[in-house]
Amino acid sequence: MIEKIMDDFYRISVPLPKNPLKELNSYFIRGDESDLLIDLGFRMHACRDALESGLAELNSAPERRDILLTHLHADHSGLVNDFIAPGRRIFLSDIDLRYLLRIISGDTRAATHLRFTTEGFPDELLSRIEKTNLTKIYALGVDGARCQGLLDGEILNIGAYRLQTVLVPGHTPGNAMFWMEEQKTMITGDHVLFDITPNITAWVDVEDSLGDYIHSLKKGFDYPVEHSLPSHREPGNYHERVNDLIVHHEHRLEHVHNIIIDAPGLSAYEIASRMKWKIRSKSWDTFPPMQKWFAMGECLSHLDYLRLRKKIYRIQAEHAYIYYPHTPAE
Ligand SMILES: [Zn+2]
């Protein structure tokens, strides 16, 4: 399905089967000498077919088409190898480019595994998730030489449009939005979504991803955005939503802090199991493994935030780290 957003600017709806996000908004801008495709979908048949037919309907010629990724996640980057013609370029933030190449080479796998197991995530469950996840949906073998890393503030010109890179780390280490000043329009990627909350997880070699995210929300608030183009679902009021997301995480932090005050000595996995989750499942035990993995990541990002700000501390117990509140006397 295609929707015209502005002159020479279109949205292609790419379904994400069996995924709570439902669909990806892929954007296509027609330029003078070249066109730009923004975000593509998982490396799955359903995504590939929808994108292919959308691009055919728009008469998009592969040899004119560059690709821009708002961030490294597989539902955005998975199909790059299928849609990039020889000699064309793939743009994404410099930080996410380096991180994506690390993920694809397997360089972060052991450290991610260790972080999760030392925080109490069951080893057997983790191994099962790792086997199915990475190899299936990421575009393995992305050629780094064809990718061009973007810095904060860097401009891409496509026809009538001028896209300014706004680096907003948090959702991923080098997540980016793209600001079109003349149109007062922000391509928000997954940094600001409107009827779902962007997942904030703990990343290897990132100390404080939730702190980064909240900082990025405040940084992005200053832009006079009148129209937003999110990567999933419908757009909405940008400034209102940014404020809501800040408040959401303040509440979430309080919620996690209270769990630790009420029951000191729990592992992160046990804390995650006691948090409130918006998922249609009767109890933590019936959560699908992948949802447990997302929940655990989100829980860890909140624990890191509280720990770095000396609200809580952790000690190494026999099976995992366990968490305690800092009492005022300490
Ligand atoms: Zn994402």
Side-chain angles (χ1 to χ4, degrees):
M1 196 211 72
I2 292 172
E3 180 195 356
K4 182 175 176 181
I5 295 188
M6 300 177 268
D7 285 342
D8 294 323
F9 199 122
Y10 299 86
R11 179 179 77 91
I12 305 171
S13 168
V14 178
L16 302 174
K18 292 186 202 158
N19 190 297
L21 295 170
K22 290 188 185 146
E23 60 170 9
L24 172 89
N25 296 322
S26 175
Y27 296 104
F28 177 79
I29 308 176
R30 200 184 306 283
D32 303 323
E33 277 108 48
S34 65
D35 306 328
L36 188 69
L37 178 64
I38 306 172
D39 292 340
L40 303 92
F42 285 122
R43 193 163 59 113
M44 290 171 73
H45 287 300
C47 299
R48 191 181 290 116
D49 292 351
L51 193 58
E52 218 154 46
S53 69
L55 289 169
E57 216 177 302
L58 291 166
N59 291 317
S60 158
E63 63 276 11
R64 283 174 50 93
R65 194 167 61 215
D66 290 324
I67 288 175
L68 170 64
L69 303 173
T70 56
H71 61 292
L72 61 79
H73 272 152
D75 55 328
H76 300 250
S77 66
L79 286 171
V80 280
N81 282 351
D82 296 62
F83 286 87
I84 192 80
R88 300 312 316 189
R89 287 164 305 171
I90 301 163
F91 299 99
L92 76 161
S93 90
D94 179 51
I95 298 171
D96 262 22
L97 169 57
R98 278 181 277 141
Y99 211 101
L100 178 62
L101 296 174
R102 281 184 68 188
I103 291 176
I104 288 171
S105 72
D107 175 48
T108 55
R109 206 175 307 163
T112 308
H113 187 98
L114 192 68
R115 175 80 210 265
F116 271 60
T117 51
T118 54
E119 300 278 2
F121 203 88
D123 205 16
E124 174 271 328
L125 199 58
L126 195 55
S127 304
R128 234 191 312 151
I129 292 165
E130 286 166 349
K131 245 177 246 147
T132 51
N133 197 11
L134 182 75
T135 50
K136 252 189 176 165
I137 53 180
Y138 272 104
L140 300 181
V142 162
D143 178 5
R146 314 192 50 181
C147 299
Q148 193 171 322
L150 298 171
L151 301 175
D152 194 25
E154 207 166 330
I155 309 278
L156 289 175
N157 287 300
I158 316 295
Y161 299 97
R162 188 172 183 271
L163 277 60
Q164 185 186 12
T165 310
V166 183
L167 199 63
V168 281
H171 178 66
T172 60
N175 194 26
M177 301 196 290
F178 295 90
W179 171 233
M180 297 183 282
E181 190 171 17
E182 204 175 307
Q183 292 77 22
K184 299 262 180 288
T185 298
M186 187 72 94
I187 299 168
T188 66
D190 281 5
H191 178 63
V192 178
L193 298 171
F194 294 87
D195 48 5
I196 24 176
T197 310
N199 175 264
I200 308 300
T201 192
W203 296 82
V204 167
D205 297 332
V206 177
E207 201 182 25
D208 183 22
S209 59
L210 180 59
D212 293 345
Y213 181 62
I214 292 171
H215 183 266
S216 294
L217 285 171
K218 290 175 180 167
K219 170 185 172 178
F221 188 84
D222 295 337
Y223 289 78
V225 177
E226 286 177 12
H227 311 283
S228 41
L229 297 173
S231 286
H232 305 284
R233 316 258 189 108
E234 302 291 321
N237 183 314
Y238 173 84
H239 293 99
E240 230 172 75
R241 184 60 179 152
V242 169
N243 277 331
D244 286 352
L245 286 167
I246 293 171
V247 170
H248 166 84
H249 286 291
E250 282 168 359
H251 287 160
R252 220 58 188 142
L253 284 162
E254 210 178 287
H255 177 46
V256 172
H257 196 193
N258 283 334
I259 290 172
I260 297 166
I261 290 169
D262 292 344
L266 297 176
S267 71
Y269 186 71
E270 289 162 332
I271 295 166
S273 77
R274 291 179 184 217
M275 287 171 71
K276 287 192 207 99
W277 301 104
K278 261 194 205 151
I279 165 172
R280 260 180 269 132
S281 198
K282 275 199 204 94
S283 71
W284 177 254
D285 295 332
T286 57
F287 263 40
M290 201 59 218
Q291 293 306 321
K292 278 190 180 170
W293 191 86
F294 282 121
M296 176 77 171
E298 193 179 318
C299 176
L300 285 174
S301 72
H302 286 72
L303 291 172
D304 287 346
Y305 184 100
L306 291 168
R307 191 162 50 85
L308 285 163
R309 287 155 186 84
K310 306 260 185 287
K311 303 275 187 202
I312 60 170
Y313 65 98
R314 62 175 193 181
I315 56 168
Q316 179 133 39
E318 204 181 314
H319 66 296
Y321 285 110
I322 53 176
Y323 287 81
Y324 290 93
H326 266 298
T327 57
E330 280 174 297

